[in-house]
């Protein structure tokens, strides 16, 4: 009887093994030992089939496809996707494990774990099911496993998702996963707390000041924060645990809201760029259309709603970039900053949309592109809101100070009138006041005339750049500064090649136009406030570059030379082209009593450039310095 029972058990075990392992005979088991800690990508096999039950799947003998490593990216799949993971414990002791599906946005995951006694343990996960049904109440998709010693366990995963299917698997020891998740939650918790603090600050500022832009900023930061906690699974774990509809449609709704709430900020005067009235009307209609699309997404299928939301959000951000480029701004840097912020938002949306379309795959949580881009957006919005409030506050304080000064002036005038009435010398004091006022007006007019005269004295009347006299003053100042601060001072001497030929062939009027064109071309390459060009005499110019080394001066001189070679002056029917030669001298000033050494050495370098054939840049090297 015992022998018969033993034979029956062996036959039953072989039949069960054939039933479970027949489709994956080519798949090798992943070996484990007692020292196993973590494997980021484990090999598995998969198949796509309409079978919804594990028994029907095993009975149908499906064709399993091997997947060596990495995330499984199949795009949009209508049927069920089954994964088969085979784990083998080579040690004598039982090994506890956590199988992590590193995509917390998958709709439905059912795990079938083949036990040693041929029983099947079923585990349900996914966003379409309540959090309480998960074996581990966690934002991640975790499947607890216990692999007995000297045994092999097979896990079947049935995955169904509305949209592109991205399935990254990883295997963890529970202690190692706890360490990883603790570090992960600490880092992202700090970042989320930082955004939450900015959101609370803007709400408190709205409560105290009643400025609408603080309310708009609070709503924008709230939607961005909700989108981040939704993508990373924390919203499903802590906010709407039993609200599966929000977990399914939350991403599309929050993506649209976090983009639409930029429109009130775009329409206001907060940003350093001002859109036209025509653009403002278009933004109103865009906000209305976006609101309708947001409501429509709640009625569409999940995958269609997701695509519509991302396409419309990306189109809106692109439109924001376009109107920012063509908007009015005090400085070009203001436009660049705003466009950069919108570009980060566009990168974040495109990155998330790439996962939804199946163009990207892998563990989304380990690539914090969306988080960092959203963090920069929130920081910039909070910064411009605070800057706007400070500007308004300062304007209000100035207005109050002006009113107070006006009141004090009126009180002083009243007291003065009373004193004048009490004194017998009213007529004399009035006459003195009139003469004093006239003298002040005259002095003010004289001072203005002196300023105009000084400007004329330091400006070249032809080219409108600074003249030789002002250059001598500036050179002395910069030489003293170079000696005091031990910084490099560079001087570039430039001269138009064969300028006498231009005067002889085209006339002196054409020569004057050529000199003006050359001066304008030089000014195009001076970006810093202290860099300046001077007309040294005739067709000769000098560029003064404080705190600039020899290499930087050579680069500027070469740029000026190339621009001059491409410049064309049109006079009547003739086109005048010219070239320039340049001499450069750079050094730290050693003798403040002899500032002309810089112009002398630069002029020698210019003479060397002329001797070399013109249209080139030469640098003077002082032998004593070397």
């Amino acid at each position: 009887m015992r022998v018969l029972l033993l034979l029956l058990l062996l036959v039953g075990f072989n039949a069960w093994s054939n039933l479970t392992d027949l489709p994956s005979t080519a798949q090798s088991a992943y070996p484990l030992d007692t020292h196993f800690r973590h494997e980021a990508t484990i090999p598995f096999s998969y198949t796509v089939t309409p079978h919804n039950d594990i028994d029907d799947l095993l009975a149908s003998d499906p064709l399993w496809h091997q997947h060596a490593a990495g995330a499984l990216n199949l795009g949009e799949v209508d049927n069920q996707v089954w994964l088969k993971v085979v784990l083998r414990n080579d040690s004598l002791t039982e090994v506890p494990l956590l199988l992590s599906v590193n995509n917390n946005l998958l709709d439905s995951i059912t795990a079938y774990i083949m036990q040693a006694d041929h029983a099947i343990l079923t585990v349900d996960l996914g966003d379409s099911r309540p959090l309480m049904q998960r074996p581990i109440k966690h934002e991640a998709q975790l499947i607890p496993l216990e692999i007995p010693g000297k045994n092999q366990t097979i896990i079947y995963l049935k995955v169904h998702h509305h949209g592109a299917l991205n399935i990254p698997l990883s295997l963890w020891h529970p202690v190692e996963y706890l360490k990883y998740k603790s570090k992960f939650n600490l880092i992202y918790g700090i970042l989320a707390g930082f955004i939450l603090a900015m959101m609370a600050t803007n709400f408190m500022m709205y409560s105290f000041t009643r400025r609408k832009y603080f309310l708009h900023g609070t709503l924008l930061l709230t939607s961005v924060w909700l989108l981040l906690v939704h993508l990373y699974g924390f919203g499903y774990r802590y906010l709407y645990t039993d609200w599966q509809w929000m977990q399914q449609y939350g991403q599309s709704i929050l993506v649209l809201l976090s983009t639409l709430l930029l429109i009130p900020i775009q329409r206001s005067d907060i940003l350093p760029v001002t859109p036209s009235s025509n653009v403002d009307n278009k933004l109103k209609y865009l906000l209305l259309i976006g609101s309708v699309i947001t409501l429509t997404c709640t009625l569409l299928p999940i995958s269609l709603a997701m695509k519509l939301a991302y396409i419309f959000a990306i189109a809106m951000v692109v439109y924001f970039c376009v109107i920012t480029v063509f908007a009015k701004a005090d400085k070009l840097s203001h436009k660049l900053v705003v466009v950069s912020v919108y570009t980060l938002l566009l990168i974040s949306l495109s990155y998330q949309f790439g996962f939804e379309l199946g163009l990207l795959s892998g563990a989304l949580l380990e690539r914090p592109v969306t988080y960092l881009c959203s963090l920069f957006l929130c920081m910039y919005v909070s910064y411009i809101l605070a800057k706007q409030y400070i500007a308004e506050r300062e304007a209000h304080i100035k207005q109050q100070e002006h009113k107070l000064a006006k009141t004090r002036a009126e009180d002083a005038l009243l007291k003065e009138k009373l004193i004048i009435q009490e004194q017998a010398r009213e007529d004399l004091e009035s006459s003195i006041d009139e003469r004093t006022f006239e003298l002040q007006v005259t002095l003010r007019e004289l001072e203005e005339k002196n300023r105009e005269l000084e400007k004329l004295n330091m400006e070249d009347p032809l080219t409108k750049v600074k003249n030789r006299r002002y250059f001598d003053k500036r050179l002395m100042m910069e030489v003293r500064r170079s000696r005091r601060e031990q910084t490099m001072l560079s001087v570039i001497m430039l001269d138009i090649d064969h300028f006498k030929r231009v005067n002889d062939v085209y006339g002196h009027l054409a020569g004057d136009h050529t000199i003006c064109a050359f001066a304008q071309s030089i000014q195009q390459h001076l970006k810093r406030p202290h860099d300046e060009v001077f007309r040294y005499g005739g067709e000769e110019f000098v560029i003064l570059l404080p705190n600039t080394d020899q290499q930087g001066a050579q680069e500027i001189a070469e740029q000026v030379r190339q621009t001059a070679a491409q410049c064309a002056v049109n006079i009547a029917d003739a086109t005048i082209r010219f070239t320039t030669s340049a001499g450069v001298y750079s050094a730290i000033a050693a003798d403040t009593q002899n500032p002309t050494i810089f112009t002398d050495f630069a002029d020698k370098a210019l003479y060397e450039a002329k001797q070399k054939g013109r249209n080139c840049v030469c640098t003077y090297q002082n032998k004593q310095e070397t």
Side-chain angles (χ1 to χ4, degrees):
M1 181 62 69
R2 291 180 179 178
V3 174
L4 182 59
L5 290 176
L6 182 58
L7 291 175
L8 290 175
L9 289 175
L10 290 174
V11 172
F13 179 77
N14 290 332
W16 178 257
S17 299
N18 293 333
L19 182 63
T20 56
D21 293 340
L22 181 61
S24 60
T25 55
Q27 179 181 353
S28 60
Y30 183 79
L32 304 170
D33 55 18
T34 54
H35 302 290
F36 176 80
R37 290 295 176 262
H38 170 227
E39 179 61 33
T41 57
I42 59 174
F44 57 89
S45 55
Y46 70 95
T47 184
V48 180
T49 177
H51 296 296
N52 195 37
D53 188 75
I54 183 65
D55 295 330
D56 296 338
L57 174 72
L58 298 177
S60 65
D61 189 17
L63 176 62
W64 293 95
H65 303 278
Q66 297 298 321
H67 190 77
L72 178 63
N73 186 359
L74 299 178
E76 293 189 9
V77 180
D78 296 329
N79 293 327
Q80 310 289 342
V81 177
W82 288 83
L83 277 67
K84 181 180 180 181
V85 182
V86 183
L87 304 176
R88 186 182 74 248
N89 185 4
D90 295 332
S91 64
L92 297 175
T93 59
E94 185 180 76
V95 178
L97 297 173
L98 288 177
L99 180 60
S100 174
V101 183
N102 300 324
N103 186 354
N104 58 326
L105 300 178
L106 292 175
D107 294 339
S108 175
I109 302 174
T110 304
Y112 300 94
I113 306 171
M114 300 303 178
Q115 301 294 315
D117 56 351
H118 309 303
I120 301 178
L121 178 61
T122 304
V123 178
D124 291 329
L125 304 96
D127 288 347
S128 62
R129 294 167 181 168
L131 183 67
M132 300 303 295
Q133 291 185 4
R134 295 186 179 183
I136 299 178
K137 309 305 181 292
H138 199 269
E139 65 269 11
Q141 314 272 20
L142 299 177
I143 303 170
L145 302 173
E146 292 182 355
I147 312 300
K150 294 298 181 180
N151 205 331
Q152 179 173 290
T153 300
I154 302 177
I155 303 100
Y156 291 93
L157 299 178
K158 180 182 67 175
V159 182
H160 184 73
H161 182 65
H162 297 284
L165 200 61
N166 174 33
I167 310 176
L169 296 182
S170 61
L171 198 62
W172 297 81
H173 190 278
V175 176
E176 293 298 321
Y177 187 81
L178 181 61
K179 294 179 182 178
Y180 162 76
K181 203 60 182 177
S182 299
K183 186 184 298 183
F184 179 89
N185 289 345
L186 175 63
I187 296 174
Y188 285 91
I190 292 174
L191 297 178
F194 185 55
I195 297 177
L196 193 63
M198 290 188 290
M199 181 175 63
T201 302
N202 284 294
F203 180 75
M204 293 298 296
M205 292 299 296
Y206 170 72
S207 302
F208 293 146
T209 63
R210 294 299 174 182
R211 299 289 200 278
K212 288 186 178 180
Y213 50 79
F214 279 119
L215 178 60
H216 297 156
T218 302
L219 295 176
L220 175 62
L221 266 62
T222 302
S223 63
V224 173
W225 183 81
L226 288 174
L227 177 61
L228 292 176
V229 299
H230 175 87
L231 292 175
Y232 285 80
F234 298 111
Y236 188 53
R237 183 179 181 184
Y238 299 106
L239 300 180
Y240 36 85
T241 304
D242 298 323
W243 193 10
Q244 284 75 43
W245 182 90
M246 184 61 185
Q247 182 64 12
Q248 295 283 304
Y249 286 91
Q251 184 176 356
S252 58
I253 294 174
L254 292 173
V255 164
L256 286 171
L257 288 179
S258 59
T259 311
L260 287 174
L261 288 172
L262 284 169
I263 295 180
I265 296 178
Q266 182 76 33
R267 294 180 57 199
S268 64
D269 296 329
I270 300 174
L271 293 176
V273 292
T274 304
S276 61
S277 58
N278 188 23
V279 172
D280 186 73
N281 293 330
K282 292 181 180 178
L283 289 174
K284 290 181 182 178
Y285 292 114
L286 185 62
L287 180 60
L288 178 61
I289 295 172
S291 302
V292 174
I293 291 178
T294 304
L295 296 176
T296 305
C297 286
T298 60
L299 305 176
L300 297 175
I302 298 173
S303 60
L304 182 59
M306 199 76 68
K307 293 177 183 178
L308 179 60
Y310 274 106
I311 291 174
F312 187 77
I314 291 174
M316 278 197 295
V317 176
V318 172
Y319 179 67
F320 292 160
C321 292
V322 172
I323 62 177
T324 301
V325 170
F326 292 97
K328 298 179 180 179
D330 296 333
K331 297 180 179 179
L332 180 61
S333 59
H334 293 165
K335 285 187 178 182
L336 294 177
V337 172
V338 178
V339 171
S340 299
V341 172
Y342 285 150
T343 303
L344 290 177
L345 180 58
L346 185 62
I347 292 173
S348 174
L349 293 173
S350 302
Y351 181 76
Q352 290 295 136
F353 194 31
F355 278 94
E356 296 300 327
L357 293 177
L359 301 177
L360 300 176
S361 61
L364 176 62
L365 302 186
E366 297 177 359
R367 302 173 184 175
V369 176
T370 302
Y371 217 123
L372 294 179
C373 294
S374 302
L375 179 62
F376 281 114
L377 172 65
C378 295
M379 292 173 60
Y380 180 73
V381 170
S382 300
Y383 167 76
I384 59 175
L385 293 179
K387 185 177 181 181
Q388 176 69 15
Y389 176 73
I390 292 173
E392 292 180 358
R393 185 68 177 173
E394 290 178 352
H396 180 70
I397 292 174
K398 289 182 180 179
Q399 186 178 7
Q400 294 293 330
E401 290 177 351
H402 178 71
K403 290 182 179 180
L404 181 60
K406 185 177 180 181
T407 303
R408 289 177 178 176
E410 292 175 353
D411 293 340
L413 182 61
L414 179 60
K415 290 179 182 180
E416 186 179 355
K417 287 182 179 179
L418 293 175
I419 294 174
I420 292 175
Q421 290 176 358
E422 293 175 358
Q423 296 176 355
R425 296 170 299 176
E426 180 178 1
D427 295 335
L428 180 62
E429 291 180 356
S430 298
S431 176
I432 294 175
D433 291 338
E434 291 177 1
R435 296 295 182 272
T436 303
F437 177 75
E438 292 175 356
L439 180 60
Q440 290 177 349
V441 172
T442 304
L443 291 175
R444 189 179 296 111
E445 292 177 352
L446 181 61
E447 186 177 6
E448 292 178 354
K449 295 296 184 181
N450 287 334
R451 289 199 195 99
E452 294 178 359
L453 181 60
E454 184 178 359
K455 183 178 180 182
L456 291 175
N457 288 334
M458 62 187 245
E459 187 178 84
D460 180 62
L462 177 62
T463 60
K464 303 305 179 183
V465 300
K466 300 299 185 296
N467 57 18
R468 170 72 176 275
R469 179 183 300 175
Y470 184 66
F471 167 74
D472 294 335
K473 295 181 181 179
R474 275 292 307 278
L475 181 61
M476 176 62 73
M477 293 169 56
E478 296 300 336
V479 166
R480 291 176 179 175
R481 180 185 299 178
S482 175
R483 170 67 183 276
R484 182 176 62 253
E485 299 177 356
Q486 289 298 296
T487 57
M488 293 290 292
L489 177 63
S490 296
V491 173
I492 304 174
M493 297 288 291
L494 302 108
D495 184 70
I496 300 176
D497 298 331
H498 303 294
F499 181 73
K500 185 177 182 302
R501 186 185 304 169
V502 174
N503 283 334
D504 295 339
V505 175
Y506 301 98
H508 290 279
L509 181 60
D512 292 343
H513 284 288
T514 304
I515 291 175
C516 292
F518 182 52
Q520 293 176 1
S521 67
I522 296 175
Q523 287 180 322
Q524 295 175 0
H525 299 282
L526 302 182
K527 306 299 181 182
R528 300 185 305 176
H530 292 87
D531 297 345
E532 206 159 10
V533 58
F534 306 85
R535 188 179 181 187
Y536 200 71
E539 73 277 11
E540 192 172 13
F541 290 81
V542 60
I543 301 176
L544 190 61
L545 301 173
N547 197 14
T548 302
D549 57 8
Q550 179 176 310
Q551 183 179 358
Q554 285 180 335
E555 292 177 358
I556 293 177
E558 183 63 23
Q559 292 173 4
V560 172
R561 186 194 66 80
Q562 294 177 1
T563 303
Q566 298 174 359
C567 183
V569 181
N570 296 320
I571 302 295
D573 296 334
T575 299
I576 303 174
R577 295 187 178 274
F578 60 93
T579 60
T580 181
S581 301
V584 180
Y585 176 68
S586 301
I588 299 176
D591 184 8
T592 58
Q593 301 300 322
N594 187 20
T596 57
I597 189 173
F598 283 82
T599 54
D600 294 339
F601 288 161
D603 190 65
K604 290 181 179 180
L606 175 61
Y607 179 78
E608 182 181 356
K610 293 288 188 178
Q611 294 297 319
K612 287 185 178 181
R614 294 180 172 83
N615 193 20
C616 62
V617 177
C618 289
T619 304
Y620 182 83
Q621 296 291 341
N622 194 346
K623 296 182 180 179
Q624 294 181 355
E625 293 179 354
T626 57

